[in-house]
Each structure stands twice: as structure tokens, then as C-alpha cells.
């Protein structure tokens, strides 16, 4: 294609082709510290639906090795988001080497804290925040559970900050690490954040899962135990490829659920959340 | 200009990839995925010592994909068997599910979408009632025109989807639209079908090739054509050494009025996949073959469709084959008006 960018995030390499220069330049700036794969795992294509839509009210179609049949195009101003969505789509539909959990993760002392929950529960913001405060950021979207060794692999792509979370980081981090502010996307306002240098440098190092939290933002502080069966079902729902992996997926997930301490955590604001995460980590992570 | 020739060559002779650089591999994998042939390719490349580590990994992933597709397809066939067995009517598996159920080479690494079955026209109502009743399948689209169109002119029921498993079933009562020119003899296809251990059936070898050729050259617009032609190549390699196969194929192709599509399938399989053939059946090469080959290979190193005009021409041709001109105009007019709402 006319413009091309390659990047490896954790174990997954991507080739992103585009009819336009802009999204590729934005990717190149934000992924500047990442390695480039010679043979990528996945191809993503950003293209104009009709030739004239390259110039006239340009709108970006998202394609690649794996595609959704009825995906709607996004405006060129949201081209970086389109690239990220395309990469996520390849992982969600095409990844079969690891059990994929829709979760965020941070690491300390070789041990991983996993956080999962519904969109808007705050798992992404919380992982990014912890990544700025002494933890190694492993990813805000997907955690890759190894099918044979039960360790988790990092997938530290750009953090996708949404709505109120954006202001938490503006001014607090180096401006070079922030992408363009994209307003009124299908998910509200979005601004991408480059993960800290150590997160990128150590992205090939796996970690042992040591604590699983189901955070929920906007509620009075509370911590609840969650039964194994519920944890299992919630994680099958949080996985995009659990069914497709068959027995290997079941084995990996059930051994994870049996060994990892788990809590549901409600929090009214992020400071409160960070404090309860640190406390639970001291109490429970082994 | 790159086209999917590197893919067909790699499938025929995996050693053609020996001197591939990273760019060649990247292109090959993108094309194989786009043509739904990655699983087949992964099996062909399995065990080759010179594969780059990443390619070996991606091939292992693709074999895992295919294994899941196989398991899911067989399970879906079993689910339909449980619902339809009490009717006592023969149920013939078609396409991918048939290939994996019968352990044929065409099923190795194959991606499988819907479950396709063939039942007799007389059994159609009972089958439909059983599937939508206790079976748990329901209509995909509630559209009066489409529904009536399927029932009056098509060779299959409107597609059904299972409420819980989210898997589609296509129930055929013959192999080509009723409005198409050839009229294959579905009754004799069912009569000649072969029973599997579990009571489900598959087409006889010759009919299986006839059906695959009809599907590829007398019905669709060649979308997914490389994969369908690979099916035909693999079927012919499995069956071609059996006594009497080529004679039976010739007879069945005539009987189903499919001699031309079968001959075309044989010639193109030989051209693209070096399929060993019985020469007489393939007939003499035709000028059009070159266009078919250009269309089938129309894919670039990013996995994109190329040769847009040729693709469009084959798309128009597919509708032309499906129905007589006046009917085509009425059909497109109705579809267009619906699109305006």
C-alpha cells in the first residue's frame, strides 16, 4: 500500500498499510521506541471505500487478515484510532497462540496484577496510572495467558485514554507521549498515551499472575470476595478466543482461576482505587 | 505485478518457498488468509526445515484454527443428525463438513463456515419443521421478498441460524438454483450417496466433484475460487486412482448437465494445481480459461482484491447464469428499490 508502518507489541507483530500518510506518521511517532518485525503476525489495512473518498470527506475503512463483515468507516481525523482498532481486531479474531483475556495488567517483582471488567469500569485508566507509579505496565486491553506455562505475556500497545481519564494524564506526563486528541469518536473523546520506557523495554518478559481484580468505578469503596465459578464464567466472557482454543483454553483458564486470589473492588475515585490496589496486593499477592 | 500465483505454487510444491525473503513470506501469508487457504498451506508447509521461526509459529496457529473448525463442523453435523434422524430421511453432508466427516484430503486444514446439507425435495417441509421446531434453528432474515425468492427459485431454504450456538445451516434440495440452465439430478445424487458410520451420508466421489464444480463455475462469481479449486484438486487426487472413478465422473457429469463446468474445473485444477487428470474429460482448452485464471489469482501482496473490472465481469456473469434476463432485471429492480429505503 502507499504508506506502511510495522511494529511489534509484545509477541505480536503488525504490518499496517494506509492510503493516507497521517495515521502512519502518528503511529510512527507514538510507537517510536518499539521494534519492527520482519515477518508480521498480522496485516491491517486502512483504505478508502471508494477512490474519491481518499480526498473528498475522507473516511477510513478498517480491513486486514481478519475483518468484521459490517464495520463502519471512521473519519480520517480518527485515523490513528482506526489503526488501533484494526490491530485489536486482528488480536481478537486471529490470535490462537495464547488465551486472550480482555483485561489490563501491571507487574511488580515478576508478579502480575490483572484487572478486568466492563467497558468504563476503569481497568485501562487504573493500569496506566499504576504504570506511572512504580509498576511495570503490561497492557490496558489484552492479557495473553500462555497455554502451557500459565504465565501471562505483556501486550503494551498504546493506552487508549477516554473522556475524563484524559485530563488525569495531560500535564502529568511528557507531552511527546500523548497522541492527538480525537473528539466525538464512537467511544467519546480519545487520546492515546505511549507507555513508559520500561514497559516497552521489558515487553518480552512474561510474569506470573498473582492477583485478579474486578474494579468498578463510581461506587462507594467496597471489597468483595468472588467465588471460583463466577470468576471462571466472567473470564470466559472476557475472552475472545476461549471457545476456539478448546481443551487447551479450558485447562489454562481453570488452572488460572484455581490459583489466583480474586476480589471485586468498588471505588469512588482513582486515588482511592490506587490505595486499595496497593493494600490488596500486600495482603493477597504471593 | 504480484498475484496469488505464489500461493498456488506453494500449495503444489512447498519447496518453491525455500528462497523466500521476509517480504515474500508476508505476502504469501496475507494471500493465504484472504483466500481461506492458510490452514491448507500450513499443513503443506508442516515440518519443512527451512521455515523462519515466525512462519512456523503462524502455521501452527493456522492448524489450531483448522482443528477447531473441524471439531465445530462435526459437532454441528451431529446436532442436525439428532434432530433429523427421527424423520428417517437421508441427510447428505456437503462441502467442507462432508470432507472432514469422510476424512478426505480436501478437509485437511480447511476452514468451514456453514453446515450444508442436501435432503430430498419431498422431505423439505418436514426437515424445516424439525429444525425450526425442537431443533432450535430460526430464520436469519425476516424479509418477505427474500423468503419468497428462496422458496420459489433457489436450490436451498432461506438460511437458518441456531439460536444458541450461532451457527448457520443451509438446507439444499438440489445443487443449483432452479432458474439456472443446467438441472442436476438431485434424486440420483441422494440415491447414490454413501452412508457414514453415524448414519449421515456423503455424495459419491463422482457426484462430489460434480457438485464442487457446479458450485464454482455454474453458480458463484468465483469468490473464494482458489479454495474451491483446491478442494477439487484434492478430491481428484484422492479419488483419481480408484478403479472406475474417471468413467463414473464422465457419466455423472453428463447426467447432471454439468459436463462443461466439470471439464473447466479439471482444466483449471491442472493449470493451477498440476492435478493429475484423465485427459478426455477435461476436453480441449478454451480461450476463456486464461480469463478464469486471471480472475482466480487476482490478489496482491497485501491480501487485497485486484483486477476490479474482471471481478465485476464475473460478478455480472454469476447473476446471468443464475436466472433468465427478464427475471434478472425484476430481481435487481426489487433489490435496488429496497436499498433505497
Amino acid at each position: 500500500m502507499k504508506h506502511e508502518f510495522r511494529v511489534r507489541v509484545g509477541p505480536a507483530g503488525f504490518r499496517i498499510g494506509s492510503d493516507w500518510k497521517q495515521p502512519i506518521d502518528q503511529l510512527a511517532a507514538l510507537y517510536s521506541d518499539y521494534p519492527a518485525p520482519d515477518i508480521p503476525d498480522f496485516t491491517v489495512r486502512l483504505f478508502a471505500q471508494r477512490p474519491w473518498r481518499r480526498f473528498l470527506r475522507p473516511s477510513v475503512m478498517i480491513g486486514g487478515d481478519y475483518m468484521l463483515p459490517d464495520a463502519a468507516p471512521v473519519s480520517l481525523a480518527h485515523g490513528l484510532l482506526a489503526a488501533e482498532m484494526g490491530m485489536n481486531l486482528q488480536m481478537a479474531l486471529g490470535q490462537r497462540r495464547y488465551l486472550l483475556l480482555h483485561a489490563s495488567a501491571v507487574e511488580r517483582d515478576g508478579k502480575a496484577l490483572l484487572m478486568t471488567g466492563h467497558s468504563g469500569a476503569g481497568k485501562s485508566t487504573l493500569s496506566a496510572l499504576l504504570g506511572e507509579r512504580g509498576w511495570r505496565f503490561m497492557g490496558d486491553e489484552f492479557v495473553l495467558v500462555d497455554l502451557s506455562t500459565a504465565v501471562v505475556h505483556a501486550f503494551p500497545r498504546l493506552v487508549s485514554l477516554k473522556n475524563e481519564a484524559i485530563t488525569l494524564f495531560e500535564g502529568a506526563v511528557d507531552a511527546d507521549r500523548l497522541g492527538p486528541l480525537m473528539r466525538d469518536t464512537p467511544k467519546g473523546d480519545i487520546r492515546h498515551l505511549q507507555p513508559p520506557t520500561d514497559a516497552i523495554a521489558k515487553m518480552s518478559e512474561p510474569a506470573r499472575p498473582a492477583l485478579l481484580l474486578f474494579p468498578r468505578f463510581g461506587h462507594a469503596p467496597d471489597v468483595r470476595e468472588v467465588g471460583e465459578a463466577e470468576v471462571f464464567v466472567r473470564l470466559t466472557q472476557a475472552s475472545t478466543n476461549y471457545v476456539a482454543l478448546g481443551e487447551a483454553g479450558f485447562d489454562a483458564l481453570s488452572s488460572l482461576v484455581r490459583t489466583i486470589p480474586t476480589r471485586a473492588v468498588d471505588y469512588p475515585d482513582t486515588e482511592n482505587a490506587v490505595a486499595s490496589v496497593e493494600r490488596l496486593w500486600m495482603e493477597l499477592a504471593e | 505485478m504480484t498475484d496469488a500465483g505464489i500461493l498456488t505454487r506453494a500449495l503444489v510444491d512447498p519447496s518453491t518457498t525455500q528462497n523466500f525473503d521476509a517480504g515474500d513470506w508476508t505476502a504469501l501469508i496475507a494471500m493465504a488468509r484472504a483466500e481461506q487457504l492458510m490452514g491448507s498451506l500450513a499443513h503443506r508447509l508442516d515440518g519443512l526445515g527451512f521455515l523462519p521461526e515466525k512462519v512456523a509459529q503462524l502455521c501452527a496457529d493456522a492448524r489450531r484454527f483448522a482443528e477447531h473448525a473441524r471439531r465445530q463442523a462435526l459437532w454441528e453435523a451431529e446436532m442436525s443428525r439428532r434432530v433429523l434422524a427421527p424423520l428417517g430421511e437421508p441427510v447428505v453432508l456437503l462441502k467442507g463438513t462432508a470432507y472432514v466427516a469422510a476424512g478426505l484430503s480436501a478437509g485437511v486444514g480447511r476452514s468451514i463456515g456453514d453446515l450444508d446439507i442436501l435432503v430430498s425435495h419431498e422431505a423439505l417441509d418436514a426437515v424445516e419443521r424439525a429444525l425450526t421446531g425442537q431443533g432450535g434453528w430460526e430464520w436469519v432474515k425476516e424479509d418477505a421478498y427474500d423468503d419468497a425468492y428462496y422458496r420459489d427459485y433457489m436450490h436451498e431454504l432461506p438460511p437458518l441460524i441456531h439460536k444458541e450456538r450461532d451457527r448457520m445451516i443451509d438446507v439444499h434440495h438440489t445443487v443449483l438454483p432452479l432458474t439456472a440452465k443446467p438441472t442436476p439430478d438431485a434424486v440420483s445424487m441422494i440415491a447414490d450417496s454413501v452412508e457414514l458410520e453415524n448414519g449421515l451420508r456423503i455424495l459419491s466421489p463422482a457426484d462430489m466433484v460434480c457438485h464442487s464444480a457446479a458450485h464454482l463455475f455454474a453458480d458463484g462469481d468465483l469468490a473464494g475460487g482458489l479454495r474451491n479449486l483446491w478442494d477439487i484438486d484434492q478430491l481428484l487426487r484422492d479419488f483419481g486412482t480408484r478403479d472406475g472413478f474417471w468413467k463414473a465422473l464422465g457419466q455423472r457429469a453428463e447426467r447432471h448437465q454439468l459436463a462443461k463446468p466439470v471439464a473447466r474445473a479439471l482444466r483449471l485444477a491442472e493449470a493451477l494445481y498440476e492435478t493429475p487428470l484423465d485427459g478426455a474429460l477435461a476436453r480441449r482448452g478454451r480461450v476463456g480459461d486464461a480469463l478464469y485464471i486471471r480472475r482466480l489469482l487476482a490478489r496482491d501482496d497485501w491480501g487485497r482484491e485486484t483486477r476490479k473490472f474482471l471481478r465485476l465481469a464475473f460478478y455480472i456473469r454469476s447473476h446471468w447464469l443464475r436466472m433468465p434476463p427478464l427475471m434478472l432485471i425484476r430481481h435487481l429492480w426489487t433489490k435496488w428499490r429496497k436499498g433505497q429505503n
Side-chain angles (χ1 to χ4, degrees):
Chain A
M1 295 186 75
K2 201 156 181 231
H3 307 279
E4 178 182 342
F5 178 69
R6 288 174 182 236
V7 63
R8 182 166 68 77
V9 182
F14 298 90
R15 163 175 76 149
I16 299 130
S18 169
D19 282 346
W20 303 271
K21 191 164 180 293
Q22 178 192 311
I24 296 299
D25 286 348
Q26 290 169 342
L27 285 169
L30 287 166
Y31 281 111
S32 56
D33 294 343
Y34 289 67
D38 59 346
I39 300 173
D41 292 74
F42 302 111
T43 291
V44 174
R45 303 189 300 262
L46 306 178
F47 60 99
Q49 192 168 16
R50 300 270 179 269
W52 58 88
R53 292 302 288 271
R54 193 177 291 195
F55 313 102
L56 210 66
R57 288 189 296 124
S59 71
V60 184
M61 295 291 290
I62 304 168
D65 291 333
Y66 301 91
M67 288 189 268
L68 290 176
D70 304 312
V74 304
S75 85
L76 181 56
H78 300 158
L80 177 61
L81 177 65
E84 288 286 316
M85 285 166 67
M87 290 159 72
N88 284 341
L89 199 62
Q90 304 313 307
M91 290 296 281
L93 301 178
Q95 181 58 256
R96 289 288 192 282
R97 210 172 305 146
Y98 309 98
L99 177 70
L100 210 68
L101 295 179
H102 195 87
S104 67
V106 291
E107 176 260 356
R108 190 188 265 171
D109 307 324
K111 294 180 290 188
L113 161 66
L114 314 183
M115 292 174 281
T116 184
H118 296 291
S119 175
K123 63 178 164 43
S124 176
T125 313
L126 213 45
S127 65
L129 215 53
L130 293 168
E132 304 296 322
R133 301 189 183 186
W135 297 71
R136 192 234 319 180
F137 173 80
M138 291 183 77
D140 79 327
E141 181 79 15
F142 295 126
V143 167
L144 313 175
V145 182
D146 199 287
L147 292 174
S148 46
T149 61
V151 298
V152 294
H153 298 271
F155 185 68
R157 47 150 235 172
L158 302 179
V159 183
S160 154
L161 300 169
K162 296 183 194 82
N163 303 316
E164 303 84 44
I166 297 172
T167 47
L168 279 176
F169 292 85
E170 283 172 339
V173 302
D174 196 347
D176 292 349
R177 290 177 54 201
L178 288 166
L181 176 61
M182 293 176 281
R183 291 197 183 280
D184 302 321
T185 76
K187 290 178 177 172
D189 295 348
I190 287 186
R191 194 160 187 189
H192 288 98
L193 168 70
Q194 185 183 62
T197 324
D198 72 316
I200 302 165
K202 292 182 180 173
M203 71 181 184
S204 300
E205 291 177 22
R208 188 170 56 77
L211 178 63
L212 170 65
L213 298 178
F214 293 104
R216 201 162 62 143
F217 170 71
H219 294 263
D222 190 21
V223 175
R224 292 179 304 280
E225 296 201 13
V226 193
E228 267 185 25
E230 187 183 342
V231 176
F232 186 86
V233 171
R234 286 175 80 162
L235 289 183
T236 61
Q237 289 164 348
S239 174
T240 57
N241 64 359
Y242 167 72
V243 174
L245 290 172
E247 194 175 351
F250 175 81
D251 288 344
L253 193 61
S254 46
S255 77
L256 175 69
V257 170
R258 252 185 245 118
T259 50
I260 196 168
T262 305
R263 293 290 184 277
V265 188
D266 292 355
Y267 61 97
D269 55 63
T270 43
E271 285 312 317
N272 187 290
V274 171
S276 42
V277 165
E278 293 283 1
R279 197 180 61 246
L280 287 167
W281 181 259
M282 294 298 285
E283 285 171 22
L284 297 169
E286 289 160 6
Chain B
M1 192 176 143
T2 45
D3 68 14
I6 60 165
L7 172 59
T8 55
R9 285 191 292 278
L11 283 164
V12 175
D13 178 6
S15 73
T16 56
T17 61
Q18 187 146 20
N19 298 316
F20 269 23
D21 62 20
D24 297 329
W25 284 115
T26 305
L28 179 68
I29 288 161
M31 284 178 193
R33 283 178 174 160
E35 294 289 346
Q36 304 281 317
L37 277 164
M38 188 60 200
S40 312
L41 179 68
H43 277 278
R44 296 287 291 156
L45 297 179
D46 193 10
L48 291 179
F50 57 77
L51 297 186
E53 192 190 338
K54 179 53 80 179
V55 175
Q57 250 179 12
L58 294 175
C59 285
D61 294 348
R63 288 192 292 270
R64 214 172 290 136
F65 256 90
E67 178 50 30
H68 173 63
R70 194 184 79 91
R71 193 166 45 226
Q72 203 168 35
L74 292 177
W75 179 247
E76 217 41 41
E78 170 62 16
M79 290 291 97
S80 74
R81 188 196 65 79
R82 290 182 193 179
V83 175
L84 299 178
L87 302 179
E89 291 285 342
V91 174
V92 183
L93 300 174
L94 299 174
K95 304 182 202 172
T97 310
Y99 306 153
V100 293
L104 295 170
S105 305
V108 176
R110 196 181 189 277
S111 65
I112 303 170
D114 309 342
L115 169 64
D116 294 281
I117 61 171
L118 173 69
V119 299
S120 73
H121 196 257
E122 294 76 51
L124 205 53
D125 287 342
V127 167
E128 184 176 359
R129 270 197 306 276
L131 291 174
T132 55
Q134 74 269 36
W137 278 270
E138 59 189 12
W139 310 117
V140 174
K141 37 185 170 183
E142 302 277 348
D143 180 300
Y145 175 80
D146 286 347
D147 192 75
Y149 187 87
Y150 265 96
R151 287 171 196 282
D152 293 345
Y153 302 120
M154 288 297 278
H155 51 306
E156 58 193 6
L157 288 175
L160 293 161
I161 192 160
H162 196 272
K163 284 175 205 166
E164 284 153 24
R165 295 193 306 277
D166 209 28
R167 301 281 296 175
M168 306 251 280
I169 184 170
D170 282 336
V171 181
H172 304 242
H173 55 86
T174 182
V175 300
L176 282 179
L178 306 178
T179 48
K181 228 176 177 182
T183 311
D185 184 352
V187 173
S188 79
M189 279 196 177
I190 294 173
D192 260 26
S193 63
V194 182
E195 187 167 357
L196 300 169
E197 255 173 40
N198 61 2
L200 289 169
R201 311 181 74 87
I202 55 170
L203 293 173
S204 72
D207 282 350
M208 211 181 261
V209 174
C210 287
H211 176 234
S212 198
H215 185 57
L216 181 52
F217 294 116
D219 191 10
D221 62 352
L222 295 192
L226 277 188
R227 205 276 310 271
N228 291 329
L229 196 63
W230 176 251
D231 285 346
I232 291 171
D233 167 79
Q234 295 290 295
L235 292 176
L236 292 173
R237 285 172 193 269
D238 279 0
F239 300 144
T241 51
R242 294 191 190 177
D243 278 347
F245 168 74
W246 294 101
K247 189 166 164 237
L249 180 58
Q251 287 166 350
R252 300 300 284 181
E254 287 294 338
R255 171 155 197 170
H256 299 309
Q257 303 175 9
L258 292 170
K260 268 165 75 177
V262 167
R264 174 93 69 190
L266 264 49
R267 291 196 304 274
L268 295 187
E270 186 187 30
L272 289 174
Y273 295 126
E274 299 177 16
T275 319
L277 292 183
D278 180 306
L281 276 183
R283 303 183 174 187
R284 253 187 312 149
R286 293 167 66 113
V287 186
D289 287 357
L291 279 179
Y292 279 81
I293 290 172
R294 275 183 60 75
R295 165 61 187 86
L296 286 167
L297 296 178
R299 192 65 77 175
D300 74 3
D301 54 346
W302 281 85
R304 286 180 300 181
E305 298 178 347
T306 54
R307 300 170 187 161
K308 297 276 187 220
F309 285 105
L310 193 57
R311 281 177 178 270
L312 181 66
F314 273 96
Y315 178 75
I316 293 169
R317 172 185 169 277
S318 76
H319 274 74
W320 196 254
L321 291 173
R322 252 184 205 173
M323 49 187 101
L326 265 177
M327 192 180 157
L328 176 58
I329 290 167
R330 204 179 52 179
H331 175 68
L332 293 178
W333 170 249
T334 312
K335 282 282 184 189
W336 179 77
R337 277 210 332 210
K338 282 204 303 185
Q340 299 300 298
N341 298 326

